[in-house]
């Protein structure tokens, strides 16, 4: 049997399948179920600053007499305590790496909370960073600085490794990744799936688009993992469009250290983890790979004899009127 153990964020994973931060990892029971299903690690459902702040806001402005007290409790760490309990219980019940996740836009918010997640036993932290610059006054360098400062402050507040999960929407992903590395991140997760935006044409209201990815979404992930592999000292974790074993194999060939699964587990259940791992083992046997490191980056730009193919962004033939 070939070796599929990997190291990610300085942690030993039995295999490269990580269950993504989502409702699938929101309780200690669910996290234990991920380990039982064969996952190499999991990222706990994010603790969202926005959610807590808006709850606090609505409670403070409600007529309920206990609202203000409850709001004060939330602000002083009620939800944080619940999150830390999930980490502690998950650590007690499982033997695989458990990664905490924070989503916040105010730096001081996570700098206060990260040491408590570390003390509760999180093996590492994934920062889910997402900003939507919607005005013309915020320039690109300012946005990049915001990300870099966030990571610098987070990394300085704890000893455990930090991964940063980003969206694909940057002027230059390599430059952003480089700055995240200089700020102290050990890994970058490519990519987060942002809330999908849609419009209801009958009631003229906004509505949510499809929450789940499809296999077609993997292209974006593959492009950037294969371009970045060997060009950054950050570890690369793939997220986005990994549904089947072949998809995991592709992100490893592109250069990922591990692959995160989410939508496919919602659609197919946790048993899909075993199916994906079995396919990886089968593929490695078929191609005579005895160790997973032999796959990693094999189809990256750095190792390609035709590196220019990795930077192709237009369908030249279709632009000139022919597709054959
Ligand atoms: C229902 C749902 C909930 C999610 N919740 C979170 C979350 O709390 N934190 C986070 O960082 N990502 C969250 N994500 C994003 C996933 O972790 C993952 O990055 C994304 O879905 C892309 O992976 P996939 O193509 O395998 O679904 C969520 C995704 C879904 C579908």
């Amino acid at each position: 049997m070939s070796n599929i153990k990997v190291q990610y964020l300085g942690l030993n994973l039995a295999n490269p399948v990580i269950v993504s931060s989502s409702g699938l990892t929101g309780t200690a029971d669910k996290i234990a179920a991920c380990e039982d299903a064969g996952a190499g690690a999991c990222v706990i459902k994010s603790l969202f600053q926005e959610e807590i702040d808006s709850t606090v806001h609505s409670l403070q402005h409600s007529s309920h007499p206990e609202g203000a007290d409850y709001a004060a409790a939330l602000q002083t760490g009620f939800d944080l305590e619940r999150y830390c309990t999930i980490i502690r219980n998950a650590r007690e019940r499982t033997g695989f790496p458990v990664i905490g996740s924070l989503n916040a836009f105010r730096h001081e918010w996570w700098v206060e909370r990260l040491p408590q997640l570390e003390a509760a036993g999180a093996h590492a932290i994934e920062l889910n960073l997402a900003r939507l610059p919607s005005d013309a006054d915020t320039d690109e360098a300012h946005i990049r600085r915001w990300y870099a400062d966030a990571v610098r402050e987070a990394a300085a507040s704890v000893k455990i490794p930090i991964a940063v999960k980003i969206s694909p929407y940057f002027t230059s992903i390599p430059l952003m990744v480089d700055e995240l590395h200089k700020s102290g991140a050990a890994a970058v997760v490519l990519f987060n799936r942002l809330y999908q935006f849609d419009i209801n044409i009958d009631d003229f209201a906004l509505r949510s688009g499809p929450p789940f990815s499809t296999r077609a979404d993997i292209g974006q992930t593959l492009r950037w993992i294969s371009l970045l592999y060997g060009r950054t000292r950050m570890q690369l974790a793939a997220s986005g469009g990994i549904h089947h074993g072949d998809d995991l194999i592709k992100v490893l060939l592109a250069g990922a250290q591990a692959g995160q699964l989410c939508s496919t587990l919602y659609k197919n259940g946790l048993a899909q983890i075993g199916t994906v791992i079995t396919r990886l083992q089968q593929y490695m046997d078929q191609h005579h790979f005895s160790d997973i490191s032999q796959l990693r980056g094999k189809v990256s730009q750095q190792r390609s004899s035709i590196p220019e193919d990795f930077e192709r962004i237009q369908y030249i033939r279709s632009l000139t009127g022919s597709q054959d």
Side-chain angles (χ1 to χ4, degrees):
M1 184 78 73
S2 42
N3 177 28
I4 58 168
K5 290 184 191 148
V6 295
Q7 280 234 333
Y8 176 59
L9 294 169
L11 305 163
N12 294 318
L13 278 59
N15 64 70
V17 172
I18 300 175
V19 180
S20 289
S21 177
S22 64
L24 297 164
T25 58
T27 66
D29 281 352
K30 290 182 177 183
I31 293 166
C34 293
E35 185 180 42
D36 291 346
C42 87
V43 186
I44 308 177
K45 168 87 188 154
S46 300
L47 179 60
F48 280 87
Q49 176 189 349
E50 212 175 322
E51 215 164 67
I52 293 181
D53 283 356
S54 64
T55 312
V56 168
H57 182 78
S58 63
L59 284 167
Q60 277 168 339
H61 293 88
S62 77
S63 55
H64 197 287
E66 287 173 12
D69 283 353
Y70 186 55
L74 275 178
Q75 275 170 324
T76 52
F78 174 84
D79 250 52
L80 177 66
E81 189 41 46
R82 200 159 53 106
Y83 200 81
C84 289
T85 304
I86 295 172
I87 298 176
R88 275 192 293 271
N89 291 345
R91 283 297 310 275
E92 262 173 39
R93 295 187 46 188
T94 63
F96 73 163
V98 173
I99 301 168
S101 169
L102 274 188
N103 176 310
F105 49 87
R106 271 204 329 268
H107 299 182
E108 65 277 11
W109 196 89
W110 60 63
V111 169
E112 282 162 17
R113 283 159 178 81
L114 283 174
Q116 297 182 57
L117 267 53
E118 180 177 41
H123 286 104
I125 297 291
E126 188 177 282
L127 288 181
N128 171 353
L129 296 186
R131 271 190 69 168
L132 182 68
S134 55
D135 62 80
D137 300 328
T138 314
D139 71 10
E140 189 272 338
H142 175 87
I143 295 160
R144 253 188 303 120
R145 220 170 21 250
W146 180 87
Y147 278 81
D149 288 348
V151 173
R152 192 173 308 107
E153 290 171 31
S157 70
V158 288
K159 293 197 177 63
I160 50 178
I162 304 266
V164 188
K165 188 176 184 180
I166 58 173
S167 82
Y169 309 115
F170 288 98
T171 305
S172 165
I173 288 176
L175 178 59
M176 186 71 261
V177 168
D178 191 45
E179 294 199 358
L180 294 175
H181 176 61
K182 286 180 185 148
S183 304
V188 62
V189 183
L190 306 165
F191 293 104
N192 199 357
R193 178 174 174 80
L194 300 183
Y195 174 78
Q196 304 291 300
F197 195 92
D198 201 1
I199 286 178
N200 185 323
I201 59 171
D202 293 317
D203 69 6
F204 314 108
L206 294 184
R207 67 176 186 193
S208 161
F212 299 126
S213 67
T214 68
R215 293 185 79 181
D217 292 312
I218 203 172
Q220 186 89 284
T221 313
L222 287 178
R223 182 199 299 277
W224 285 107
I225 301 254
S226 63
L227 282 170
L228 286 167
Y229 176 80
R231 303 228 155 82
T232 171
R233 287 167 64 200
M234 289 253 257
Q235 285 192 322
L236 307 169
S239 167
I242 307 174
H243 284 237
H244 290 225
D246 287 5
D247 305 329
L248 179 70
I249 294 163
K250 287 178 193 177
V251 297
L252 295 169
L253 288 170
Q257 202 72 13
Q260 298 198 357
L261 272 59
C262 180
S263 293
T264 190
L265 303 182
Y266 273 101
K267 289 181 185 171
N268 302 307
L270 294 182
Q272 185 69 2
I273 296 172
T275 309
V276 165
I277 293 170
T278 303
R279 171 64 187 136
L280 172 63
Q281 290 277 15
Q282 213 179 46
Y283 171 85
M284 288 176 65
D285 291 347
Q286 192 186 337
H287 288 270
H288 309 292
F289 291 121
S290 57
D291 192 283
I292 196 162
S293 60
Q294 295 164 336
L295 268 84
R296 191 171 302 118
K298 201 170 165 56
V299 191
S300 60
Q301 185 184 39
Q302 196 200 39
R303 286 173 53 185
S304 172
S305 55
I306 32 175
E308 58 277 15
D309 271 7
F310 288 73
E311 294 178 28
R312 189 168 165 186
I313 55 170
Q314 305 278 15
Y315 294 94
I316 304 292
R317 286 204 178 136
S318 60
L319 284 178
T320 55
S322 138
Q323 288 190 35
D324 51 353

